[in-house]
Amino acid sequence: VVCQSCEARHKGVCGGLESAELSYLAKNTSKKAYRRGEEILAAGEKLDRYSNILSGVVKLVKLLPDGRQQIVGLQFAPDFVGQLFADTSNISAEAATDVRLCTFPRQVLESLAEQSPAMEHRLLQQTLRGLDDARDWMLTLGRKTAKEKVASFLMLISAYSDPERKEFETPFTIDLPLKRGDIADYLSLTVETVCRQLTNLRKAKIIDVPNRQHIIVLDLVRLRALAEQTEIVDV
Amino acid sequence: VVCQSCEARHKGVCGGLESAELSYLAKNTSKKAYRRGEEILAAGEKLDRYSNILSGVVKLVKLLPDGRQQIVGLQFAPDFVGQLFADTSNISAEAATDVRLCTFPRQVLESLAEQSPAMEHRLLQQTLRGLDDARDWMLTLGRKTAKEKVASFLMLISAYSDPERKEFETPFTIDLPLKRGDIADYLSLTVETVCRQLTNLRKAKIIDVPNRQHIIVLDLVRLRALAEQTEIVDV
DNA sequence: CGCCTTCTTGAGGGGCGTCAAGCCCAGTGG
DNA sequence: CCACTGGGCTTGACGCCCCTCAAGAAGGCG
């Protein structure tokens, strides 16, 4: 069965299902691939499918009528994508990298959630984590300087790429899933400011930038101090 | 029984409970009152109680070590307060106005949630709404100008004070539940900038400010246009 | 009436946005 | 193999929006 061997299963929302439920889900799923930049879900679109991310990074984007935009969340595997119980999405979802999804009709998930308290509980847990992340990020957006924002972003990606990493394990390389423009939209900055702050961090020997997609973190202690503002750091 | 006649019951999380569950809950609740400015829940504190708001407004605050702060959410009656399934809160909650709460031990709610799918479903719904609000506000924090932010805040409070209001029902008065400093922390601005923008709106005849606590909205159409940036508005 | 907190207004400066030019590099086709 | 092309990235010059600092006004309360 598809779901039994699913790479995303144990940490995803389907992790709590019985095997009967799992085979029901398996019958109704399909895998889809998107290239970097493709739109997965348009704002205002009728919402009839949900998905789990198998691999890649999905950005959730909000738009102002005049074109200003803000990335309000990044979703990594095995996160869930789609606004539960909403008829239409008020957010658009776009592939930030190449992405593979496991999608299923809306009704399948909603009926499973009704039958299985474990499933609903997992959805609640995931939503709570999303709310927590969103609120953390509001502090970053609202009250940090450009320098602190870029440091915060690098810490976020570092944590995602290796949650177990220790401070003394430097230097290490991280792979940026976002283009400069996306980073700017995530941090509420402009592309130019993001570039300048990366340059500043490079000159301060906190990071190195060997090429567009990669960052080498040289001094994790100072990077974290900048991001969390636990002490004053000259840059 | 206390809960049977509760003013917040039907729209709150306890609205889906059977009468047996309701009386169990009623045995374990107590009402508490807080004065404006009092702390309801400190960040880092051990979390052993949850609450529903009976009246008043609660602000959720995040702090940076150096004192900068951001209000990451406003909760109105009959919203739920407390971070579900978290051992310690990473947010502090403070009474923005005088507040009355209905509180109960953490275990009571969590066991009710286990027994009653309806209860868990309501918690999920409320969390989803919170996530949606948070993401909307991220766009406001990140991409709107000071002028647009203040207009957005006034629209938010207007909507809360009368969700059914029509555009032609102007002028009308709204009661500000927050001090200027709180508004600034909610909008990621300074007190001075909030004041100046209110003055600008007053000079543009969009609002009037008869005293500190009240705002008279004279031109809801232009206020909304500013908040949502649907068209260009001179101020 | 005096004191304290909150609000308002002004003057000045700095951080980040805007505009513009040039660089890097992958992909394409000759 | 290399010229060409175009998108993304980087850097500089300049200006504006909002923050900072400061002083005074307006209430609230003993």
Side-chain angles (χ1 to χ4, degrees):
Chain A
V1 187
V2 186
C3 295
Q4 297 284 9
S5 62
C6 174
E7 48 207 305
R9 186 183 148 214
H10 293 292
K11 287 152 68 185
V13 284
C14 20
L17 296 178
E18 308 289 326
S19 72
E21 296 159 342
L22 215 53
S23 66
Y24 168 59
L25 183 60
K27 286 201 197 83
N28 292 286
T29 61
S30 62
K31 299 199 175 186
K32 279 195 176 180
Y34 295 83
R35 304 300 304 271
R36 161 182 281 219
E38 272 189 271
E39 189 162 58
I40 294 171
L41 185 68
E45 189 177 310
K46 192 150 182 312
L47 225 143
D48 54 358
R49 301 186 70 76
Y50 294 128
S51 308
N52 283 321
I53 303 177
L54 296 175
S55 68
V57 180
V58 173
K59 53 181 182 177
L60 306 178
V61 183
K62 276 197 175 267
L63 262 184
L64 242 30
D66 64 4
R68 283 175 285 177
Q69 62 179 21
Q70 175 70 41
I71 294 181
V72 297
L74 291 178
Q75 307 281 101
F76 302 90
D79 290 346
F80 179 85
V81 176
Q83 297 198 280
L84 285 166
F85 310 119
D87 286 332
T88 62
S89 173
N90 54 6
I91 294 184
S92 75
E94 202 175 301
T97 63
D98 292 351
V99 165
R100 287 181 308 124
L101 295 184
C102 167
T103 79
F104 33 86
R106 179 177 164 171
Q107 284 209 321
V108 171
L109 183 93
E110 289 181 4
S111 67
L112 277 177
E114 268 182 48
Q115 290 164 36
S116 160
M119 176 72 153
E120 180 126 6
H121 190 69
R122 282 192 172 233
L123 288 170
L124 177 55
Q125 293 279 14
Q126 179 141 133
T127 308
L128 284 166
R129 191 150 34 79
L131 182 55
D132 227 45
D133 290 346
R135 286 175 170 165
D136 272 343
W137 208 247
M138 287 171 77
L139 178 62
T140 298
L141 289 183
R143 291 305 190 191
K144 291 186 186 173
T145 64
K147 180 191 311 181
E148 292 160 2
K149 284 180 179 181
V150 171
S152 298
F153 174 72
L154 294 178
M155 286 302 298
L156 182 83
I157 301 298
S158 298
Y160 160 70
S161 71
D162 178 3
E164 310 295 328
R165 186 171 3 249
K166 300 294 184 295
E167 274 177 13
F168 51 82
E169 292 171 351
T170 50
F172 58 89
T173 304
I174 57 183
D175 200 341
L176 294 180
L178 270 59
K179 300 192 259 191
R180 297 290 186 274
D182 287 335
I183 298 175
D185 282 338
Y186 192 38
L187 295 172
S188 302
L189 297 172
T190 59
V191 180
E192 296 91 329
T193 301
V194 172
C195 274
R196 276 187 259 269
Q197 296 305 332
L198 286 176
T199 302
N200 287 347
L201 290 176
R202 186 164 50 73
K203 287 183 181 165
K205 309 250 188 252
I206 295 177
I207 64 171
D208 199 7
V209 188
N211 58 58
R212 294 173 175 197
Q213 299 236 24
H214 296 93
I215 300 275
I216 301 174
V217 176
L218 302 173
D219 191 338
L220 186 56
V221 175
R222 280 206 292 163
L223 187 65
R224 170 177 298 124
L226 264 179
E228 299 174 4
Q229 203 55 22
T230 48
E231 51 182 302
I232 290 89
V233 178
D234 288 332
V235 173
Chain B
V1 188
V2 186
C3 295
Q4 298 283 8
S5 63
C6 174
E7 49 206 303
R9 186 183 148 212
H10 293 292
K11 287 154 66 185
V13 285
C14 20
L17 296 177
E18 307 290 326
S19 71
E21 296 159 340
L22 215 53
S23 65
Y24 169 58
L25 184 60
K27 285 200 199 85
N28 291 286
T29 60
S30 62
K31 299 200 175 184
K32 279 193 176 181
Y34 294 83
R35 304 300 304 271
R36 162 181 282 217
E38 271 188 275
E39 189 163 57
I40 294 171
L41 184 67
E45 188 177 311
K46 193 151 181 313
L47 225 144
D48 55 358
R49 300 186 69 78
Y50 294 128
S51 308
N52 283 322
I53 302 177
L54 295 175
S55 68
V57 179
V58 174
K59 54 182 181 175
L60 306 178
V61 183
K62 276 198 176 266
L63 261 185
L64 243 26
D66 64 3
R68 283 176 284 176
Q69 62 178 21
Q70 175 70 43
I71 293 181
V72 296
L74 291 179
Q75 308 280 102
F76 302 90
D79 290 345
F80 178 84
V81 175
Q83 297 199 280
L84 283 168
F85 310 120
D87 287 331
T88 62
S89 173
N90 54 6
I91 293 182
S92 76
E94 203 176 301
T97 64
D98 291 351
V99 165
R100 287 181 307 122
L101 296 184
C102 168
T103 77
F104 34 86
R106 179 177 164 171
Q107 284 210 321
V108 171
L109 182 92
E110 290 180 5
S111 67
L112 276 177
E114 268 180 49
Q115 290 163 38
S116 160
M119 176 70 151
E120 179 125 6
H121 190 70
R122 282 192 173 233
L123 288 171
L124 178 55
Q125 293 279 14
Q126 178 142 129
T127 308
L128 283 167
R129 191 151 32 79
L131 182 55
D132 226 45
D133 290 346
R135 286 175 169 165
D136 272 344
W137 207 246
M138 285 171 77
L139 179 63
T140 298
L141 289 183
R143 292 305 191 192
K144 291 187 186 171
T145 64
K147 180 191 309 179
E148 292 161 3
K149 284 180 179 182
V150 171
S152 299
F153 174 74
L154 294 178
M155 286 301 299
L156 181 85
I157 301 298
S158 298
Y160 162 69
S161 73
D162 178 3
E164 311 294 327
R165 185 171 7 245
K166 300 293 186 293
E167 274 177 12
F168 51 80
E169 291 172 352
T170 50
F172 59 90
T173 303
I174 57 184
D175 201 341
L176 294 181
L178 270 57
K179 299 192 259 194
R180 297 290 186 273
D182 287 335
I183 297 174
D185 282 337
Y186 192 40
L187 296 172
S188 303
L189 297 171
T190 58
V191 181
E192 295 93 328
T193 300
V194 171
C195 272
R196 276 187 260 268
Q197 296 304 332
L198 286 175
T199 302
N200 287 346
L201 291 176
R202 185 164 49 74
K203 287 183 179 164
K205 310 252 188 245
I206 295 177
I207 64 171
D208 199 7
V209 188
N211 57 57
R212 297 174 171 197
Q213 299 237 24
H214 295 92
I215 300 276
I216 301 174
V217 175
L218 303 173
D219 191 338
L220 186 57
V221 175
R222 280 205 294 160
L223 187 66
R224 170 177 296 126
L226 264 179
E228 299 174 4
Q229 202 55 24
T230 48
E231 52 183 300
I232 289 86
V233 178
D234 287 331
V235 173

